[in-house]
């Protein structure tokens, strides 16, 4: 099993550009989520999903969109990138729809917005 | 929403000493409290977790305690080793399907 796969690992954008961070898992997990990690602020939840066709907002959803058309994939879209979105993004999945239990993280995607 | 405070932000100990990291949470309905370890440049990985119906849980050199009344929980690492050096995150889960993380503690174990 590959676990949770994120692409790309690094990306540089200009302000106003859009892009999609891809996340795929092969563990048949119902729960998937996106976090951003900034120095001193821990991991902050952007969006999450408890199953295909179901998404919900986390703590910091503004400027991001998600969709969940399949159990395996959970892409994160930046609509119009801003310097404040410079961060490391982690996708995580878990076996429980409640979100409890172990979360399995991807390797992270480092995004820089100029 | 839930708010998780974590202290200290940095912790330096000598190899062999114990390390304690403390977290407080705000939502009394939170019922699941995991701890994640993140080595430099790596992804976070679960090291131990505790549910609200348990007061303490141990796994070899690490233990977690939970005080529901005071709404705080702690990670204890005994006999620290250089490979314990990492950033540790506490988190709290509430019935809203959201896992909220603390700000992290950078633990440095000096040989």
């Amino acid at each position: 099993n590959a676990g949770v796969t994120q692409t790309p690992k690094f990306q540089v954008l200009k302000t106003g550009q859009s892009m999609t961070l891809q996340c795929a898992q092969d563990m048949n997990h119902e729960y998937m989520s996106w976090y951003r990690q900034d120095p001193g602020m821990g991991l902050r939840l952007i969006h999450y999903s408890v199953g295909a066709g179901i998404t919900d907002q986390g703590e910091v959803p503004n400027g991001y969109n998600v969709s969940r058309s399949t159990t395996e994939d959970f892409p994160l879209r930046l609509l119009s990138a801003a310097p404040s979105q410079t961060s490391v993004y982690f996708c995580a999945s878990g076996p429980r729809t409640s979100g409890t239990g172990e979360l399995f993280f991807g390797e992270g995607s480092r995004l820089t917005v100029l | 929403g839930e708010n998780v405070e974590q202290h200290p932000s940095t912790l330096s100990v000598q190899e062999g000493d114990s390390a304690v990291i403390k977290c407080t949470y705000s939502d009394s309905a939170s019922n699941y409290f995991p701890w994640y370890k993140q080595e430099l440049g790596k992804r976070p990985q679960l090291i131990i977790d505790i549910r609200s119906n348990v007061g303490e849980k141990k796994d070899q050199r690490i233990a977690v305690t939970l005080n529901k009344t005071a709404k705080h929980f702690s990670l204890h690492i005994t006999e620290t080793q250089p490979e314990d050096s990492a950033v540790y995150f506490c988190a709290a889960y509430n019935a809203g399907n959201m896992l909220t993380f603390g700000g992290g503690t950078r633990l440095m174990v000096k040989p």
Side-chain angles (χ1 to χ4, degrees), chain A residues 35 37 48 98 103 105 107, chain B residues 36 38 43 93 96-97 99:
Chain A
Y35 286 87
Q37 183 174 29
Y48 65 96
S98 65
L103 284 185
F105 284 81
E107 291 185 311
Chain B
Y36 284 80
Q38 186 180 29
R43 71 190 83 189
Y93 171 81
N97 279 330
L99 188 65

Side-chain angles (χ1 to χ4, degrees), chain A residues 1 12 18 28-29 32 38 51 53 55 59 61 67-68 72 76 89:
Chain A
N1 287 351
V12 178
S18 62
N28 201 33
H29 287 167
M32 295 188 74
D38 302 293
T55 64
E59 303 168 72
S67 59
R68 185 92 180 272
E72 294 78 20
L76 178 72
Y89 292 84

Side-chain angles (χ1 to χ4, degrees), chain A residues 4 31 35 37 40-43 45 48 50 57-59 90 96-107, chain B residues 2 31-32 34 36 38 41-46 49 51 87 89 93-94 96-104:
Chain A
V4 179
Y31 186 88
Y35 286 87
Q37 183 174 29
M41 302 188 73
L43 294 152
L45 182 64
Y48 65 96
V50 297
Q57 296 182 348
E59 303 168 72
F90 285 97
R96 298 182 183 223
T97 55
S98 65
T100 60
E102 183 172 3
L103 284 185
F104 295 84
F105 284 81
E107 291 185 311
Chain B
E2 175 68 276
N31 58 11
Y32 172 70
Y36 284 80
Q38 186 180 29
K42 304 287 188 181
R43 71 190 83 189
Q45 291 189 298
L46 180 73
D49 57 10
R51 298 184 186 273
V87 178
F89 293 99
Y93 171 81
N94 62 26
N97 279 330
M98 288 179 51
L99 188 65
T100 302
F101 283 83

